[in-house]
Amino acid sequence: DIVIGAAGGSLIEDHQGNFWCTGDGILMFNPNEQNFRTILTQDVVKKVFDNPLSKQAISQSSPMDFVQMSNGKIYVGYYGIGIVEMDKNLRNPKFIKLPNGVSELIWKLFTPDGETLYFGDQKKQLYRYNVLTRQFVKFYQKQYRPAHLSASFVESSRTVWLGFYNNEGLRRFDPIT
């Protein structure tokens, strides 16, 4: 996958050759059919949350990043909502309940293996989420703090390059250790 991410946007190519980007919502371009598909944050909020006050408050959230897992599902990190799981056609959104203490202000997502989702939040923490077992682990290594994770490049299952916001640099990350 090609992943370009920073606060405010992301661009990836999925398993089927479609191109996805974020902004006020999520946009998918299918180069074979020469068409676009858009899903607005407000539409996700309406489908995922029941409370009208929550809908109003979080409708101002914006997608920051997303990643497609090996099972085809797409995980979207929102700045304000947290993480939402969708099918490969961006349908059937499901809110992923984050553990207590984890910020719902998500900056960046990545996967080195297609089954484990890593993400950085506003609290400058790095977390691991297994999509099969639905278990979270706070993944802390001193060299990855105190900076917001804002970019990633998965070179291999053992080498991920992480970029950090505010000139905090580029660091090599081994998800296995």
Side-chain angles (χ1 to χ4, degrees), residues 78-93:
Y78 286 88
Y79 191 84
I81 296 175
I83 299 174
V84 173
E85 173 191 279
M86 298 187 202
D87 64 24
K88 66 182 178 180
N89 298 311
L90 288 178
R91 293 189 179 95
N92 305 313

Side-chain angles (χ1 to χ4, degrees), residues 162-173:
L162 303 178
F164 293 89
Y165 184 72
N166 206 17
N167 298 320
E168 294 289 333
L170 180 68
R171 300 175 195 155
R172 185 179 181 274
F173 172 69

Side-chain angles (χ1 to χ4, degrees), residues 1 30 41 45 72 93 118 150:
D1 291 348
N30 181 322
T41 300
V45 170
Y118 288 81
S150 64

Side-chain angles (χ1 to χ4, degrees), residues 45-106:
V45 170
K46 287 177 191 173
K47 291 178 182 177
V48 174
F49 298 96
D50 295 327
N51 183 333
L53 294 175
S54 294
K55 287 181 183 182
Q56 182 179 1
I58 59 184
S59 65
Q60 299 304 313
S61 298
S62 56
M64 299 298 284
D65 199 15
F66 48 92
V67 67
Q68 186 176 34
M69 305 304 273
S70 57
N71 64 5
K73 291 186 179 179
I74 295 172
Y75 289 79
V76 183
Y78 286 88
Y79 191 84
I81 296 175
I83 299 174
V84 173
E85 173 191 279
M86 298 187 202
D87 64 24
K88 66 182 178 180
N89 298 311
L90 288 178
R91 293 189 179 95
N92 305 313
K94 294 178 184 152
F95 177 68
I96 304 296
K97 177 139 176 57
L98 300 173
N100 290 338
V102 178
S103 173
E104 291 181 342
L105 306 176
I106 304 300

